[in-house]
Amino acid sequence: MESARISKWLNLLVCVLLLLKAEGSLVPLTLVKNAESKGAVCLDGSPPAYHFDNGFEEGIKNWIVHIEGGGWCNNVESCLYRKDSRLGSSKQMEDLYFSAILSNEQEYNPDFYNWNRVKVRYCDGSSFTGDVEEVDQTTNLHFRGARIFSAVMEELLAKGLEKAENAILSGCSAGGLTTILHCDRFKNLLPSEANVKCVPDAGYFVNVEDISGTHFIEKFYSEVVSTHGSAKNLPSSCTSKFSPELCFFPQYVASHISTPIFVVNAAYDSWQIQNIFVPGSADPSDSWHSCKLDISNCSPDQLSKMQDFKSEFEKAVSVVGDSSSKGMFIDSCYAHCQTESQETWYKSDSPQLANTTIAKAVGDWFYGRSSFRHVDCNYPCNPSCQNRVFDLKDHPGI
């Protein structure tokens, strides 16, 4: 009886160790040197930070710089709310595990496992676009996202990024938007002969009417741009034609990006459905509540409206273009951010399009083994999807 109990616990320990291995390696937090003297600081005035794991073997001159996500703050009140959290202060940040696109295990990240891998923390609330010199002494809020991006890149260049042979700028959610907005800027920092590409994940936020017929997100982005003084740091190829708040939307920027780019996104992006298409203000009776938590709970009418959203998303993402240097993996999953989770990045049951996982599609495209540009059929057509099911505590909002 005792030996059976010991065997049971040993098996459990093995399972835990395997799970920890799959979760990835713990990478310490690094504060950016001399950032404060440059005014490149988080919302609370603390120095920005990143996590860096060295490349090895053949990947020693290759780099992935991955930008953390976390929404935006659009006014003083919402920025004050973030100020004392990890999304506004490096004082609240801790060491992180690297997995999926940042994993150092070949079986979990076959094409990029031995690269130099960096995760840049997000603490400015503007997708690294803000730059307001004046600091209100009452709030002590610093709107310096663009300076943070420059300071982090300067430090990484000195660590070896300036000699990169291959490099990827990537990011999730607000970090995916950062990737799009800063894609060409990142390319211009590196050697002209380097192979540099961008992989935004869940960052293709679209300018659509919500279910009440209001452009809620356009007003929100306008307030972000105004609060942070972002206009001068948005791509000039866009601001020369459109108002600055529109240039916070990828659909007005993407066609002008010259750097190769691969868009990873769910067509039924759960964050966009919950916050752009059906924000709380557009659903005062909360009739969409159950549907937003779990897409399988949606009524036929709600699903029909979601198909309309998918059509608008497809139209918006089509401006990326069909050049072989541009790729996309647009699945029909109810999900948000699929390159940061091992389950959706690269496992035997990961989401697939054309019998291909996200990791393989991105790797094939980056190395020129094959192009990849696929937009999925309508929900619920893809049995490989891992659809998110939310509960009350993780139902996000802006």
Side-chain angles (χ1 to χ4, degrees):
M1 194 72 175
E2 185 64 26
S3 62
R5 186 180 294 110
I6 292 172
S7 176
K8 177 183 176 182
W9 282 108
L10 284 174
N11 288 335
L12 179 62
L13 178 61
V14 169
C15 289
V16 169
L17 290 174
L18 287 172
L19 283 172
L20 286 173
K21 183 182 179 186
E23 184 178 20
S25 54
L26 187 63
V27 182
L29 184 75
T30 300
L31 298 179
V32 178
K33 299 174 184 176
N34 305 317
E36 291 164 292
S37 65
K38 302 170 184 174
V41 292
C42 300
L43 285 170
D44 72 334
S46 60
Y50 61 92
H51 307 260
F52 172 57
D53 201 14
N54 283 294
F56 54 96
E57 298 172 350
E58 294 86 357
I60 200 165
K61 290 188 177 181
N62 301 333
W63 290 72
I64 288 183
V65 178
H66 186 81
I67 312 294
E68 183 181 31
W72 312 270
C73 57
N74 63 319
N75 52 39
V76 169
E77 182 182 4
S78 64
C79 291
L80 282 173
Y81 183 79
R82 296 166 73 99
K83 179 182 168 185
D84 297 320
S85 74
R86 64 175 180 80
L87 291 174
S89 173
S90 60
K91 297 175 184 176
Q92 306 301 322
M93 297 175 185
E94 299 177 344
D95 299 345
L96 287 181
Y97 280 96
F98 275 12
S99 62
I101 196 172
L102 294 176
S103 174
N104 63 356
E105 297 281 347
Q106 187 172 10
E107 62 182 304
Y108 299 121
N109 189 25
D111 281 307
F112 312 116
Y113 71 97
N114 58 2
W115 287 29
N116 295 285
R117 286 152 292 104
V118 180
K119 184 160 190 174
V120 180
R121 301 304 295 269
Y122 180 43
C123 65
D124 71 278
S126 73
S127 284
F128 297 91
T129 61
D131 192 359
V132 177
E133 180 65 35
E134 183 180 352
V135 178
D136 188 311
Q137 297 305 307
T138 304
T139 64
N140 197 39
L141 283 170
H142 297 71
F143 302 114
R144 304 284 180 76
R147 295 193 202 185
I148 291 175
F149 187 85
S150 295
V152 171
M153 293 304 154
E154 184 178 329
E155 187 156 312
L156 295 179
L157 288 167
K159 282 181 175 285
L161 180 60
E162 64 182 359
K163 298 179 180 177
E165 294 179 354
N166 294 289
I168 290 175
L169 180 66
S170 68
C172 155
S173 193
L177 178 58
T178 301
T179 302
I180 294 168
L181 297 178
H182 290 274
C183 182
D184 284 343
R185 188 172 293 130
F186 179 74
K187 169 71 169 69
N188 291 335
L189 291 172
L190 274 65
S192 58
E193 66 274 13
N195 182 24
V196 182
K197 301 184 179 183
C198 300
V199 183
D201 174 18
Y204 211 96
F205 299 94
V206 293
N207 188 15
V208 297
E209 290 184 351
D210 62 34
I211 58 169
S212 72
T214 301
H215 279 265
F216 168 80
I217 191 63
E218 186 176 320
K219 180 176 183 294
F220 182 87
Y221 276 174
S222 177
E223 292 168 352
V224 172
V225 170
S226 175
T227 297
H228 291 267
S230 300
K232 59 183 175 292
N233 296 307
L234 296 170
S236 59
S237 58
C238 180
T239 55
S240 63
K241 299 177 180 178
F242 301 102
S243 60
E245 63 269 18
L246 291 181
C247 296
F248 220 70
F249 288 100
Q251 67 202 75
Y252 303 105
V253 174
S255 63
H256 303 290
I257 296 173
S258 60
T259 306
I261 189 168
F262 191 105
V263 178
V264 177
N265 226 103
Y268 305 92
D269 186 292
S270 56
W271 193 95
Q272 294 197 54
I273 295 293
Q274 293 166 350
N275 295 283
I276 293 178
F277 190 54
V278 195
S281 60
D283 183 33
S285 63
D286 214 17
S287 62
W288 280 72
H289 178 76
S290 179
C291 173
K292 290 197 293 185
L293 295 181
D294 183 348
I295 194 171
S296 66
N297 293 333
C298 296
S299 69
D301 181 62
Q302 288 169 333
L303 279 179
S304 176
K305 286 182 169 62
M306 282 201 184
Q307 308 302 3
D308 293 339
F309 173 85
K310 178 175 182 277
S311 296
E312 289 297 315
F313 181 88
E314 290 179 21
K315 190 187 304 179
V317 80
S318 69
V319 305
V320 170
D322 55 8
S323 161
S324 61
S325 69
K326 311 293 174 70
M328 61 180 64
F329 188 108
I330 311 297
D331 58 36
S332 61
C333 308
Y334 191 59
H336 184 66
C337 290
Q338 298 177 91
T339 63
E340 291 186 337
S341 166
Q342 195 61 58
E343 285 68 26
T344 48
W345 172 246
Y346 189 71
K347 287 189 79 174
S348 59
D349 59 348
S350 293
Q352 295 189 17
L353 288 179
N355 298 314
T356 305
T357 62
I358 296 171
K360 187 174 189 306
V362 172
D364 286 349
W365 166 81
F366 183 87
Y367 282 111
R369 296 190 290 255
S370 64
S371 59
F372 195 95
R373 182 187 175 87
H374 288 274
V375 178
D376 211 351
C377 47
N378 290 348
Y379 173 88
C381 68
N382 190 338
S384 71
C385 276
Q386 296 189 11
N387 297 317
R388 289 288 307 273
V389 176
F390 298 86
D391 58 28
L392 289 174
K393 72 176 184 298
D394 61 10
H395 187 200
I398 56 174

